[in-house]
Amino acid sequence: MALLILGLIVFLGTHVFTMARGPRARLIERIGEGPYKGLYSLVTLAGLILIVLGYGQYRAHGWIDVWQPPTWTRHLALVLVWAAFVMVAAAYFPGRIKGALKHPMLAGVKVWALAHLLANGDLGSILLFGSILAWAVAARISVKRRDVVRDHAGPAAAPAGGRNDVLAVVVGTAAFFVFAIWLHPWLIGVAVWPGRA
């Protein structure tokens, strides 16, 4: 559990730092944008590795049940995670979905974290997915404040047509199936697709 907590502090700490626009700007000015991005990527990757290792150790040796989610929450989680994958894909295919969500990447992270909170009732999962959900909510508030300032500079470009929405749904759905059927059991050790061992 300690390794998981350390990983969350490192991983989310780097993301929280980006919301502190003044200190971030001063650091970029001091070391340069390229070195900043490199350092940010390395620290983020280190935090992610610590999270994966810590969560794996927790699942193997320190599991603590808090509550038992009903079976239907797992089915709901599948639908929500599919929607999250489509939202994340929409961030790369600007269209009506992206226009409606404004920040589809953050929306996708929030939905993904909420889905996992619904389907998992153990302490480690609550800590992991609850922390990520809290960060995503805080990040969305921070971005919304920046958007208000940006809106005074002029209107944003109109989103692209329905073609990009179709692409977002197709790419997001394909990525969801690949992850749910093959990658989740391989990387996480948990089968999420009904009927798969």
Side-chain angles (χ1 to χ4, degrees), residues 79-90 104-105 107-113:
V79 175
L80 290 175
V81 171
W82 166 76
F85 269 82
V86 171
M87 290 175 194
V88 170
M105 183 75 71
V109 170
K110 287 189 286 187
V111 170
W112 171 84

Side-chain angles (χ1 to χ4, degrees), residues 47-134:
L48 185 59
I49 290 169
L50 288 171
I51 288 171
V52 170
L53 293 174
Y55 191 64
Q57 288 180 5
Y58 159 77
R59 286 183 55 80
H61 307 294
W63 189 273
I64 303 169
D65 277 322
V66 176
W67 70 294
Q68 291 294 328
T71 303
W72 63 264
T73 61
R74 292 184 183 156
H75 302 301
L76 176 59
L78 275 174
V79 175
L80 290 175
V81 171
W82 166 76
F85 269 82
V86 171
M87 290 175 194
V88 170
Y92 299 97
F93 298 101
R96 291 182 186 90
I97 296 173
K98 183 173 182 178
L101 295 174
K102 291 190 170 63
H103 298 281
M105 183 75 71
L106 284 174
V109 170
K110 287 189 286 187
V111 170
W112 171 84
L114 176 63
H116 283 79
L117 279 173
L118 288 173
N120 296 281
D122 63 283
L123 184 60
S125 295
I126 292 168
L127 180 65
L128 173 60
F129 301 114
S131 297
I132 292 173
L133 179 58

Side-chain angles (χ1 to χ4, degrees), residues 9 41 107 123:
I9 291 169
S41 298
L123 184 60

Side-chain angles (χ1 to χ4, degrees), residues 156-190:
R163 179 177 174 272
N164 276 359
D165 292 325
V166 171
L167 282 170
V169 171
V170 169
V171 170
T173 301
F176 164 75
F177 277 114
V178 168
F179 199 83
I181 295 172
W182 294 290
L183 294 181
H184 199 281
W186 179 56
L187 293 172
I188 314 300
V190 178

